[in-house]
Amino acid sequence: MDIPRIFNITESAHRIHNPFTPEKLATLGAALRLEPGTRVLDLGSGSGEMLCTWARDYGISGTGIDMSPLFTNQAKLRAEELGVADRVEFIHGNATGYVTDEKVDVAACVGATWIGGGVVGTIELLAESLRTGGIILVGEPYWRQSPPTEEVAKGCRAGGISDFLMLPELLASFGDLDYDVVEMVLADQDSWDRYEAAKWLTMRRWLEANPDDDFAKDVRAELISAPERYAAYTREYLGWGVFALMAR
């Protein structure tokens, strides 16, 4: 069980697998007013930076589930590094359908709503693990400005314009599901740069170390096309944020 190999390569040096900086992740934790003992579930936990730093800074405990063996191992190492391995657990597995035995205070899926088949299904899944009065966290893209053509949308790695909403429409959609939006922290172009541009050096280093790998031609093609595509499309048109929701 694993994610596509290209992501294990391009994001192997990332601690945060979304367009968030450590500062924005800390801002999110502070905005949620996390208290010691808060229990957090993170579906699609990546390299565990959210749970590990929140355990260190706010005293939370939690469980993360991710399909990547590489990222899951990195998360365990990060927990050891920060001295929080006794408070956070990381499981290599498919988070689709995962529900905790004990209800949690915060149920999160930050940037992996494919786990629930989209935003609606992911919120429904997270709600099954959430205590009454708890908070759901959803990380999701939105359009910063509406793409003028379907080609531009596809340049942002979307299937089409209809894949994402403008920010006001996305916020309204949570209300349509009978949730209050109680906080949000949004990526900006600088945090997008750190997420996307960091992949380029990682790819170059990987190519230098693996010139005879059968996958090298795919990585080379991505390295050639990614900077221009990102600057022309994603950086200008695609936003991303984490939204905190509470059931009405």
Side-chain angles (χ1 to χ4, degrees):
M1 182 185 299
D2 205 346
I3 61 175
R5 190 182 183 195
I6 190 64
F7 297 114
N8 276 322
I9 292 172
T10 60
E11 299 190 25
S12 60
H14 283 52
R15 282 184 173 168
I16 302 172
H17 302 279
N18 292 300
F20 251 23
T21 59
E23 293 77 16
K24 286 188 178 291
L25 201 56
T27 295
L28 177 61
L32 296 175
R33 308 171 196 175
L34 296 172
E35 297 179 353
T38 298
R39 293 164 297 170
V40 182
L41 171 68
D42 187 10
L43 302 185
S45 51
S47 295
E49 193 72 358
M50 185 174 80
L51 287 181
C52 289
T53 56
W54 286 2
R56 177 195 64 192
D57 298 339
Y58 305 111
I60 65 102
S61 62
T63 301
I65 301 94
D66 199 90
M67 286 183 66
S68 169
L70 172 64
F71 296 165
T72 303
N73 185 58
Q74 289 176 340
K76 293 176 180 178
L77 293 173
R78 184 63 166 156
E80 294 284 352
E81 178 186 0
L82 297 185
V84 296
D86 60 331
R87 296 203 296 276
V88 292
E89 175 189 19
F90 294 99
I91 300 168
H92 171 233
N94 187 345
T96 300
Y98 185 91
V99 178
T100 56
D101 294 329
E102 184 179 359
K103 300 293 187 182
V104 299
D105 303 295
V106 178
C109 183
V110 178
T113 54
W114 53 265
I115 286 171
V119 173
V120 174
T122 298
I123 290 174
E124 291 174 350
L125 174 60
L126 293 172
E128 293 186 52
S129 297
L130 193 68
R131 68 165 177 82
T132 302
I135 292 176
I136 285 176
L137 294 181
V138 176
E140 185 69 4
Y142 59 89
W143 294 122
R144 293 181 63 241
Q145 53 180 315
S146 183
T149 66
E150 294 291 336
E151 180 182 358
V152 170
K154 291 176 181 178
C156 298
R157 296 288 176 85
I161 296 173
S162 62
D163 275 14
F164 306 125
L165 301 171
M166 298 291 287
L167 182 57
E169 296 167 342
L170 178 59
L171 295 174
S173 73
F174 298 133
D176 293 340
L177 298 173
D178 217 21
Y179 282 86
D180 289 321
V181 181
V182 296
E183 259 294 358
M184 70 177 187
V185 178
L186 304 181
D188 55 29
Q189 287 181 312
D190 288 341
S191 57
W192 267 109
D193 290 348
R194 298 307 347 116
Y195 173 58
E196 291 290 346
K199 299 176 186 178
W200 310 337
L201 180 58
T202 301
M203 285 189 281
R204 177 57 189 260
R205 294 293 189 234
W206 185 91
L207 286 166
E208 291 171 351
N210 301 275
D212 300 321
D213 193 290
D214 290 342
F215 201 58
K217 63 181 183 300
D218 298 274
V219 177
R220 165 54 62 186
E222 178 65 14
L223 178 57
I224 290 172
S225 63
E228 182 179 353
R229 183 184 63 247
Y230 168 65
Y233 300 114
T234 304
R235 195 175 195 272
E236 297 303 315
Y237 289 95
L238 197 61
W240 190 86
V242 180
F243 305 93
L245 314 174
M246 295 181 72
R248 289 175 178 166

